[in-house]
Amino acid sequence: MTKTGVYFYHEKITICRDTFQLIGQDGKIGNMSDVTMTSSSTVLPVDHNDLDAVSNGLYFNPHAILGAHLNAANSPFSTVRVLKPLATKVTIITQSGTYAAHHEWNGVFVAVVPSTKEQDGNYSTPDYRVRTEYKDGTVLVEDDPYRFLPTLGQMDTYLISEGRHERLWQVLGAHVRHYDDPMGDPSHPNSHTISGVSFAVWAPNAHVVRVVGDFDDWDGRQYCMRSMGSSGVWELFIPGLRPGMKYKYQILNANNEWKEKADPLEFSHEIPPRTASIVADTSFDWSDQAWMDQRKKTNAHLKPMSIYEVHADSWKQGLSYRDMATQLVDYVKKENFTHVEFMPLAEHPFSGSWGYQVTGYYAPDSRFGSPQDFKYLVNAFHKAGIGVIMDWVPAHFPKDDFALARFDGTPLYENPDPMRGEQPDWGTYIFNFGRREVRNFLVANAVYWLKEFHVDGLRVDAVASMLYLDYSRKPGQWRPNRFGGRENLEAIDFLKEATATAYKDNPGTVIIAEESTAWPGVTAPTNAGGLGFGFKWNMGWMHDTLSYLKEQPINRKWHHNEITFSMVYAYTEHYVLPISHDEVVYGKKSLIGKMPGNDRERFAQVRELFAYQWTHPGRKLTFMGNEIAQWGEWDYRKSLDWVCLQSPDHRGVQTLVADLNRYYRATPALWEEDFDQKGFQWLTSDDADHNTLSYVRYDSHGHPVVVIVNFSGSQWNNYQVALPQGGSWHEVINTDDKRYDGAGVVNQPFEATGGPFHSRPASAYLTIPALSAIILEPGQ
């Protein structure tokens, strides 16, 4: 039977021996009697239409025709068919001898060979190799891909169909495999191992899928894949292939168009703008076992977290993963951050997207090296005691024709509903979160980075765009859910599944949401109706704080509520306080460029902002370049302005950040009770006239740390500060210290002799430098 020229059914037929015809290489037709065989060793017949389809690489199940097949149940003879276009002579080599193959049709050669007699007396198809001669004198001895069983089992295809294969990357994609074999590798006579690469791809609406690459001159006819039934998976093992070879899938799609596609589960990719996938050896000799063992035993949500956000290509341009393993690791360690967070490092074709338009979800960015090189970088961070977080982008993907878009000619990965399938802001497709195989692709991807690359956390980008059906859409451009609401129910279920699965499989990791709305329960457990994230970026704190600081100090008294409002909702979620890449790009100015006043005032305000951020409830994140107060806003096309560190004012900010991180990590009062109201109390929140805040942070044992932040351009002398207890106190950090290129207005150790104040048992009169923050501890 045929359908649009493609053969879908193999119908068994019976052909009498004396009427079977052999088509020679010269095209002449002869009788089977021309071949020297007994009647019991005649060629196993095949429907001619199926044979023609196989010879042209158009058959959905080539293994049913090609390869070795018993002539009958438990037959002592087997028929071997191989596809060798342009060959002049083909010989089948078995352990029992060599057998000439005869040209049957359009490059298909056939031979009958003895079956292998097993110890129990039954017969099985023999192992064999193929010797091929060509007109130019070339002779090749090769293994045959069509003699191998599928590399996916029935449980694999069942789990894929159900959307529950949590190790999807272990069965789909391109995998280097090694098999014990008595005949061994034909290219290595003394070997008893067959090596090659298995390919498997999900394309349920494709008519035909082929593997093409630099190993077959991109000729799709040679390696046609077999369909694994209703799972929609296509599979083929090709012996002799090795890591480093380039490949794609050549798909005859649902629209009867031939398209070449990169592998959705590629593990490596050509450097853009090239678009082929690369067979990768991802094995790696990890030496971070102590870190990983500790990670399993540690609840990372209860530990300090100060994050250095990095765009790998512009921190210092020209670095590879292995270069970063020394330069970036050393720098992050010197600055005392607990974690580094990479903007997306999954494969993406356009560098101007900063990695947020992903085409290869399972491939580390090839611009910096191989998957093994990226593992080397993560390993180096762990050995330095630094955690690694990666941006993850499951909200949308680009429309590039070589990748996921319309993969098999249909909206396969993307939502088919035009009101739900495209993201108007970014010109991208939106995943079909309601399709179980697509959810499986994404959930397994989250687990993949945490497990295979030892990544310690994921920051999930653009969560709000997934939660709301009307995100960036005007009335009439979106369709309500089945209850008439604007919530994307399928995306909500996906996010819950992703967070729950990631945490279940990888204890000690963190999943962070970049969610910019007031959606309730982002960091609540899934069993309590929440989305299950560990942390959420506090976008409100970031916007309010930066908005306040843009005001001239003399005007800040009229905006005092902006700097205090964050504590109204500080405990509604588990927050990370970010000052991210989005705030220092595209005309928003650099961090120091946002500050009003002269240069010295600007540097002072950057320093006090860091101290305020590091002492405010919530984990910490700052973007690269902020810590050196570079003047220019971030440009992904060039390196940070490292030359600015020749100036003491820039070095002063860098030194302060290192000191704040060191003190923060060592001081539980600044992180232990971040998510409990007992860990924070205002001392003075209403002193708008002085633009000054004071508050106390407590650890779980009640030990206090007092913070005073003066956002005014004036120095306050004899400023009375309420204190939670009497006795001796001293400054731990003063952002006006000359160590940080400040003016050097500091307070020596003092006694709390001011008496009760603002309902506190003690107070003291201090000098509060202009545009500065002071951190105090009791004792000498």
Side-chain angles (χ1 to χ4, degrees):
M1 295 179 65
T2 66
K3 180 179 179 182
T4 62
V6 183
Y7 298 88
F8 282 89
Y9 299 97
H10 176 203
E11 298 177 344
K12 295 201 76 172
I13 59 174
T14 302
I15 300 179
C16 298
R17 176 179 176 273
D18 58 356
T19 62
F20 189 88
Q21 294 178 319
L22 179 69
I23 302 172
Q25 192 167 0
D26 57 4
K28 296 181 180 179
I29 298 176
N31 291 324
M32 199 62 172
S33 58
D34 296 333
V35 183
T36 305
M37 296 180 183
T38 66
S39 60
S40 62
S41 62
T42 57
V43 172
L44 185 68
V46 171
D47 181 280
H48 179 75
N49 289 334
D50 292 350
L51 189 65
D52 185 69
V54 165
S55 71
N56 287 292
L58 294 172
Y59 196 58
F60 80 106
N61 189 14
H63 293 73
I65 310 298
L66 301 176
H69 299 269
L70 291 173
N71 281 8
N74 207 28
S75 170
F77 293 97
S78 294
T79 295
V80 177
R81 282 185 173 86
V82 294
L83 179 60
K84 295 295 178 183
L86 305 179
T88 58
K89 184 178 180 181
V90 174
T91 304
I92 305 301
I93 305 169
T94 72
Q95 288 181 291
S96 62
T98 60
Y99 303 87
H102 303 274
H103 187 259
E104 187 174 19
W105 178 259
N106 196 27
V108 176
F109 288 78
V110 63
V112 176
V113 303
S115 301
T116 298
K117 192 171 185 178
E118 305 293 346
Q119 291 183 349
D120 60 5
N122 292 320
Y123 289 96
S124 63
T125 56
D127 191 4
Y128 65 92
R129 301 295 180 269
V130 185
R131 186 179 189 273
T132 310
E133 300 179 29
Y134 294 92
K135 189 175 181 178
D136 64 359
T138 300
V139 178
L140 298 176
V141 178
E142 303 168 294
D143 205 342
D144 182 15
Y146 295 101
R147 74 178 185 89
F148 290 88
L149 293 172
T151 53
L152 288 81
Q154 289 184 346
M155 182 56 71
D156 291 319
T157 56
Y158 169 78
L159 291 173
I160 290 171
S161 297
E162 291 294 309
R164 295 293 179 185
H165 206 306
E166 295 179 5
R167 300 292 185 274
L168 190 67
W169 69 90
Q170 295 180 355
V171 293
L172 297 186
H175 294 269
V176 178
R177 299 185 187 273
H178 308 280
Y179 298 112
D180 292 334
D181 192 287
M183 292 189 69
D185 187 338
S187 61
H188 297 85
N190 297 323
S191 170
H192 293 286
T193 301
I194 292 295
S195 298
V197 177
S198 66
F199 299 89
V201 62
W202 179 61
N205 301 300
H207 298 315
V208 175
V209 182
R210 304 161 166 174
V211 182
V212 295
D214 55 5
F215 44 83
D216 63 359
D217 294 325
W218 303 92
D219 178 4
R221 181 181 170 191
Q222 295 189 52
Y223 297 122
C224 195
M225 305 179 79
R226 66 175 138 206
S227 170
M228 301 293 289
S230 61
S231 69
V233 175
W234 300 75
E235 184 273 347
L236 182 66
F237 173 77
I238 305 178
L241 269 57
R242 58 188 181 275
M245 290 181 165
K246 302 175 180 66
Y247 73 98
K248 284 188 177 183
Y249 294 117
Q250 193 176 70
I251 298 174
L252 183 60
N253 68 23
N255 305 314
N256 293 316
E257 304 165 319
W258 283 106
K259 295 284 188 178
E260 287 189 358
K261 293 284 192 176
D263 190 344
L265 274 89
E266 65 183 3
F267 304 125
S268 186
H269 190 90
E270 288 188 291
I271 297 175
R274 296 184 177 92
T275 58
S277 302
I278 299 176
V279 176
D281 178 4
T282 60
S283 62
F284 182 75
D285 186 14
W286 292 94
S287 57
D288 66 344
Q289 193 58 50
W291 174 278
M292 295 299 288
D293 289 344
Q294 186 62 34
R295 187 175 94 173
K296 292 178 184 178
K297 298 183 289 187
T298 302
N299 185 342
H301 305 85
L302 303 180
K303 294 295 181 180
M305 181 179 292
S306 61
I307 304 167
Y308 187 58
E309 186 189 20
V310 171
H311 179 255
D313 199 26
S314 58
W315 184 74
K316 285 183 182 177
Q317 286 201 311
L319 299 184
S320 67
Y321 289 130
R322 290 185 179 255
D323 295 331
M324 293 179 215
T326 52
Q327 296 186 44
L328 180 58
V329 169
D330 289 349
Y331 182 79
V332 176
K333 185 175 182 178
K334 176 185 174 183
E335 284 295 289
N336 295 310
F337 286 96
T338 66
H339 290 75
V340 65
E341 179 180 310
F342 285 105
M343 292 168 67
L345 281 178
E347 196 62 61
H348 55 280
F350 176 48
S351 59
S353 77
W354 311 337
Y356 289 101
Q357 294 196 5
V358 177
T359 51
Y361 276 80
Y362 287 79
D365 192 341
S366 58
R367 296 168 179 85
F368 312 110
S370 69
Q372 291 170 318
D373 294 334
F374 182 56
K375 290 180 177 180
Y376 183 90
L377 173 59
V378 175
N379 192 70
F381 270 116
H382 287 173
K383 291 172 69 176
I386 300 164
V388 179
I389 300 169
M390 274 184 58
D391 263 14
W392 186 51
V393 193
H396 63 120
F397 62 94
K399 297 180 179 179
D400 297 69
D401 194 52
F402 74 89
L404 295 179
R406 302 296 193 263
F407 188 76
D408 62 4
T410 68
L412 187 64
Y413 287 91
E414 56 269 52
N415 196 310
D417 185 339
M419 289 191 176
R420 298 188 181 185
E422 296 195 32
Q423 174 49 253
D425 285 350
W426 307 316
T428 52
Y429 286 130
I430 297 172
F431 281 104
N432 186 357
F433 300 113
R435 184 162 191 167
R436 55 182 178 265
E437 296 96 337
V438 175
R439 286 202 313 272
N440 193 170
F441 173 82
L442 292 171
V443 171
N445 184 242
V447 176
Y448 169 76
W449 291 107
L450 299 171
K451 189 169 293 294
E452 293 295 319
F453 288 89
H454 293 195
V455 167
D456 304 290
L458 299 174
R459 177 264 194 187
V460 185
D461 181 63
V463 170
S465 74
M466 292 186 272
L467 293 176
Y468 300 99
L469 295 170
D470 62 347
Y471 186 88
S472 292
R473 287 176 170 81
K474 298 176 182 177
Q477 295 180 341
W478 63 282
R479 183 178 294 107
N481 62 37
R482 63 181 181 271
F483 301 113
R486 59 196 284 253
E487 300 80 12
N488 188 333
L489 303 178
E490 292 83 5
I492 293 167
D493 287 343
F494 155 70
L495 289 170
K496 290 179 177 181
E497 181 180 349
T499 56
T501 304
Y503 277 127
K504 172 178 68 71
D505 284 1
N506 301 277
T509 58
V510 296
I511 312 296
I512 304 168
E514 187 238 349
E515 201 283 310
S516 55
T517 74
W519 184 278
V522 172
T523 58
T526 55
N527 59 12
L531 296 181
F533 287 92
F535 297 105
K536 170 182 171 174
W537 272 21
N538 193 335
M539 313 291 277
W541 175 89
M542 177 174 67
H543 293 145
D544 287 348
T545 300
L546 294 178
S547 175
Y548 175 83
L549 288 172
K550 288 177 184 177
E551 296 290 338
Q552 291 288 339
I554 196 171
N555 295 326
R556 286 174 181 169
K557 64 181 296 182
W558 310 112
H559 299 269
H560 197 70
N561 64 308
E562 292 179 16
I563 202 67
T564 60
F565 183 67
S566 60
M567 290 310 302
V568 173
Y569 59 88
Y571 303 107
T572 57
E573 301 280 3
H574 293 179
Y575 284 118
V576 171
L577 309 181
I579 298 182
S580 70
H581 63 275
D582 277 327
E583 299 308 309
V584 293
V585 73
Y586 289 155
K588 295 181 181 179
K589 301 182 181 179
S590 66
L591 188 61
I592 193 169
K594 297 175 186 292
M595 306 299 168
N598 59 39
D599 286 357
R600 288 203 65 81
E601 290 170 335
R602 287 180 167 186
F603 279 102
Q605 289 171 94
V606 170
R607 294 195 301 268
E608 74 169 336
L609 169 58
F610 272 114
Y612 171 63
Q613 180 182 7
W614 254 243
T615 57
H616 187 288
R619 303 317 198 226
K620 326 300 176 187
L621 178 143
T622 199
F623 183 58
M624 65 180 200
N626 292 344
E627 86 287 359
I628 59 174
Q630 70 171 31
W631 284 108
E633 68 181 18
W634 172 55
D635 185 344
Y636 74 93
R637 294 163 296 189
K638 61 183 183 181
S639 300
L640 296 182
D641 187 16
W642 294 107
V643 70
C644 74
L645 289 174
Q646 296 176 9
S647 176
D649 42 16
H650 293 278
R651 289 200 307 272
V653 176
Q654 185 188 48
T655 301
L656 172 68
V657 171
D659 286 354
L660 283 170
N661 272 324
R662 183 184 301 108
Y663 179 66
Y664 167 76
R665 296 175 71 162
T667 308
L670 295 183
W671 49 264
E672 198 172 39
E673 301 293 343
D674 263 352
F675 313 120
D676 194 310
Q677 294 184 26
K678 67 183 181 182
F680 175 94
Q681 291 179 7
W682 285 114
L683 296 175
T684 305
S685 64
D686 57 357
D687 192 2
D689 288 339
H690 289 90
N691 304 144
T692 300
L693 305 175
S694 59
Y695 46 90
V696 60
R697 300 295 311 276
Y698 292 102
D699 65 17
S700 60
H701 300 287
H703 298 147
V705 168
V706 167
V707 182
I708 307 107
V709 187
N710 178 10
F711 291 108
S712 166
S714 300
Q715 176 174 304
W716 306 126
N717 298 314
N718 294 315
Y719 185 85
Q720 190 173 12
V721 176
L723 295 171
Q725 65 186 51
S728 299
W729 288 80
H730 65 282
E731 288 185 346
V732 181
I733 290 178
N734 183 325
T735 63
D736 198 51
D737 197 307
K738 288 184 177 180
R739 171 177 171 80
Y740 312 125
D741 198 47
V745 178
V746 298
N747 293 277
Q748 298 302 318
F750 61 90
E751 295 290 323
T753 59
F757 183 62
H758 276 209
S759 302
R760 300 293 169 173
S763 65
Y765 291 91
L766 304 178
T767 300
I768 313 299
L771 302 173
S772 67
I774 296 172
I775 303 175
L776 305 173
E777 279 192 2
Q780 296 296 329

